[in-house]
Amino acid sequence: MLDIQAIIRARRGDHHLLHSQYVNPVLAKVLRIIGFDKTYVRAKGSTLYDAEGQGYLDFLAGWGVFNVGRNHPWVIQALRDVLDLDLANLVQMDTPLLSGLLAEALVKRAPAGIDAVHFVNSGAEATEAAMKFSRCATKKPRILFCDHGFHGLTYGALSVTSNGLFREGFAPLLPGCKAIPFNDLEALEAELSQGDVAAFIVEPIQGEGVNVPSEDYLPGAQRLCRKHGTLLIVDEILTGIGRTGKFFGFEHWDVQPDVIAVAKGLSAGLVPVGAVLMGREIFRATYSRLDRCVACASTFSENNLAMAAGLATLRILDEEDLVGNAARMGERLVRELQRIQETSGIIRQVRGKGLLIGVEFGEPDSIALRIQWKLLQKVRPDLFAQIVVTALMTDHRILTEVAGSGLSTLKLRPPLSITESEVATFVQAFEATLERARTFAGPLWEFGMSFVKHNLAS
């Protein structure tokens, strides 16, 4: 029998070498450069622990999957219970109970008119399925998406993701997909008026850059889509499952989408799971005949462990009021960051909702520091933000991330279970990091120059 615990103990510390040899050597190199090459041995809630027992505050949350915190005991127990039952899993010619229960639970949280669920394995798959259902239902060819939108990296999802870094080398992508400016209703109507758009896919808050729309944008997009017979797909893969202080991000604007894509936080980070929620008529357009009963299917999509993880996650959100906690802690965090903004001389804007927050940096007020800033900008526009990310890790053991390639914005998305004391810890560390940046030729800027050298060398 395989003794996985013994293997992990024997090979602990070999992970970077193994990835350098067999998996992704470029990523392993980047992690060394930015100081993220740690050896984590366990995790709980909002904290990761290394081999020396040091804790790292996690404001990255696995790119947003750990909404209920890492290794929540209720999710682990649900998975163990399912395994102990020796259930008949993935029979395929079957209608599994657990997927039916999770679908029922999701529909109860959705707006009126959303009454059908299609399960997938990831956010990218959810995007792909939403596009397929929309084209089949409308019999129209085109899909609109927004500049700076991110919807996944498989071919269809990449075709509605605008970042050139991700698209580079993979053309030609799916035809009929066109980017339009975010937060621009005139641009949207100009395309919709052509009458051939199946769907408009949009994030309530863009993850890349943490861009928040104006108050009239999403309601206006819904109105225009209905006017022109286009389905509104709201991508809640990141913003859903409580991330923004509402169960769905679109609830901040009282929008009723035609199709909703969810993933990430639904899984509790332990078993991949995603779902597409829609109206029954949209669903029936694809499953239109008996011989099309598996026209849109995925081998592992309704596996019992994924469904149990989803059910446990929803129960935890309710029992621990994590959606409310996201709203409260988000407000506290934004308030503190705006206080720092007033004196930092380098923060341009703090934006977001709940626990999806962006801190955008701009040219320093200090004349002495502008030379350093401009040098970093010439190398990479996102380099100062990356320096802040690295300093928070190196000096304070806090994981954060840059909000997107080429963006001088720090993105914060901690678990929804984050506490007041953990928020205070982050704020203190962030304030100290920016204070170092105010010192000309100080340690932070010296570190920045080393980043410049790495980039020039590469």
Side-chain angles (χ1 to χ4, degrees):
M1 186 173 74
L2 179 69
D3 189 343
I4 194 67
Q5 293 187 15
I7 292 173
I8 290 173
R9 287 192 295 267
R11 301 300 300 273
R12 182 168 288 163
D14 289 352
H15 51 296
H16 288 288
L17 176 62
L18 291 167
H19 278 254
S20 295
Q21 290 182 337
Y22 304 115
V23 186
N24 188 340
V26 178
L27 176 61
K29 181 178 181 179
V30 168
L31 294 179
R32 285 195 299 272
I33 292 172
I34 66 175
F36 274 54
D37 54 336
K38 309 300 180 183
T39 301
Y40 302 114
V41 298
R42 65 186 182 92
K44 199 71 174 174
S46 303
T47 307
L48 300 158
Y49 297 92
D50 66 16
E52 287 72 45
Q54 291 184 311
Y56 296 75
L57 187 56
D58 184 10
F59 268 59
L60 182 59
W63 291 343
V65 303
F66 293 102
N67 283 14
V68 300
R70 290 180 178 270
N71 293 323
H72 196 290
W74 290 14
V75 183
I76 291 173
Q77 188 59 54
L79 298 180
R80 286 175 175 160
D81 289 346
V82 167
L83 291 173
D84 288 343
L85 286 170
D86 289 331
L87 295 175
N89 192 27
L90 297 176
V91 175
Q92 303 304 1
M93 300 303 287
D94 187 25
T95 52
L97 174 64
L98 289 177
S99 56
L101 292 173
L102 182 55
E104 178 184 60
L106 288 170
V107 166
K108 286 181 178 178
R109 296 167 181 267
I114 300 292
D115 55 2
V117 180
H118 173 76
F119 286 108
V120 293
N121 301 291
S122 69
E125 264 196 67
T127 297
E128 300 267 355
M131 294 168 67
K132 289 171 67 178
F133 278 109
S134 297
R135 279 182 163 173
C136 195
T138 63
K139 305 299 186 290
K140 296 178 180 180
R142 291 207 297 148
I143 308 286
L144 300 180
F145 62 100
C146 289
D147 288 333
H148 301 293
F150 182 91
H151 303 285
L153 299 180
T154 53
Y155 251 96
L158 184 60
S159 300
V160 292
T161 291
S162 68
N163 191 313
L165 179 68
F166 294 123
R167 296 165 69 99
E168 181 183 342
F170 301 121
L173 297 175
L174 192 67
C177 299
K178 183 174 181 179
I180 59 173
F182 180 66
N183 208 28
D184 187 335
L185 290 175
E186 288 186 8
L188 175 61
E189 183 160 33
E191 294 296 329
L192 293 179
S193 64
Q194 298 179 39
D196 61 348
V197 178
F200 171 48
I201 183 168
V202 63
E203 301 156 277
I205 299 173
Q206 290 190 318
E208 186 172 295
V210 193
N211 300 314
V212 182
S214 60
E215 289 300 309
D216 65 339
Y217 180 62
L218 291 176
Q222 175 183 288
R223 174 180 55 79
L224 290 174
C225 285
R226 290 182 176 173
K227 174 182 175 182
H228 295 283
T230 295
L231 298 180
L232 176 62
I233 303 172
V234 177
D235 179 346
E236 292 279 356
I237 293 164
L238 173 60
T239 53
I241 322 298
R243 169 59 54 188
T244 69
K246 303 277 190 181
F247 186 78
F248 292 116
F250 62 74
E251 293 177 38
H252 289 284
W253 294 277
D254 194 26
V255 173
Q256 293 187 317
D258 300 296
V259 182
I260 306 167
V262 296
K264 287 191 185 291
L266 183 60
S267 73
L270 291 172
V271 185
V273 61
V276 184
L277 287 64
M278 68 198 87
R280 181 60 60 181
E281 291 306 311
I282 298 172
F283 191 87
R284 283 177 180 154
T286 293
Y287 296 98
S288 55
R289 303 188 307 267
L290 295 180
D291 63 345
R292 287 178 59 82
C293 64
V294 290
C296 192
S298 178
T299 300
F300 293 99
S301 64
E302 295 184 33
N303 76 84
N304 288 331
L305 292 178
M307 301 298 100
L311 286 166
T313 295
L314 297 181
R315 177 63 63 88
I316 294 164
L317 289 177
D318 291 341
E319 295 292 329
E320 299 184 5
D321 187 27
L322 293 189
V323 180
N325 191 65
R328 292 187 295 273
M329 293 301 101
E331 288 175 3
R332 179 182 293 270
L333 188 51
V334 166
R335 187 165 59 247
E336 289 294 312
L337 291 170
Q338 289 173 338
R339 175 184 60 78
I340 296 170
Q341 178 184 2
E342 293 176 0
T343 58
S344 71
I346 201 167
I347 296 177
R348 179 178 297 166
Q349 187 180 34
V350 178
R351 56 181 178 264
K353 288 185 182 294
L355 289 173
L356 177 57
I357 298 169
V359 182
E360 182 180 350
F361 302 107
E363 187 172 305
D365 292 343
S366 166
I367 296 175
L369 295 180
R370 289 179 187 171
I371 297 174
Q372 312 284 50
W373 170 268
K374 289 177 180 178
L375 177 58
L376 295 180
Q377 290 289 297
K378 286 182 179 179
V379 177
R380 281 187 64 94
D382 55 9
L383 195 47
F384 180 80
Q386 185 59 65
I387 291 169
V388 172
V389 167
T390 302
L392 286 169
M393 171 60 98
T394 303
D395 298 338
H396 304 283
R397 300 198 302 274
I398 300 176
L399 283 79
T400 55
E401 62 180 317
V402 179
S405 177
L407 301 177
S408 192
T409 301
L410 179 72
K411 184 192 293 186
L412 308 176
R413 46 177 167 184
L416 310 189
S417 55
I418 201 86
T419 65
E420 290 186 11
S421 64
E422 289 168 333
V423 168
T425 296
F426 172 81
V427 169
Q428 184 178 13
F430 181 67
E431 195 164 16
T433 298
L434 291 192
E435 184 60 33
R436 290 177 62 193
R438 293 169 64 87
T439 305
F440 179 72
L444 191 65
W445 291 103
E446 292 173 8
F447 184 58
M449 293 307 104
S450 72
F451 263 71
V452 171
K453 291 177 183 177
H454 275 297
N455 275 271
L456 291 176
S458 65

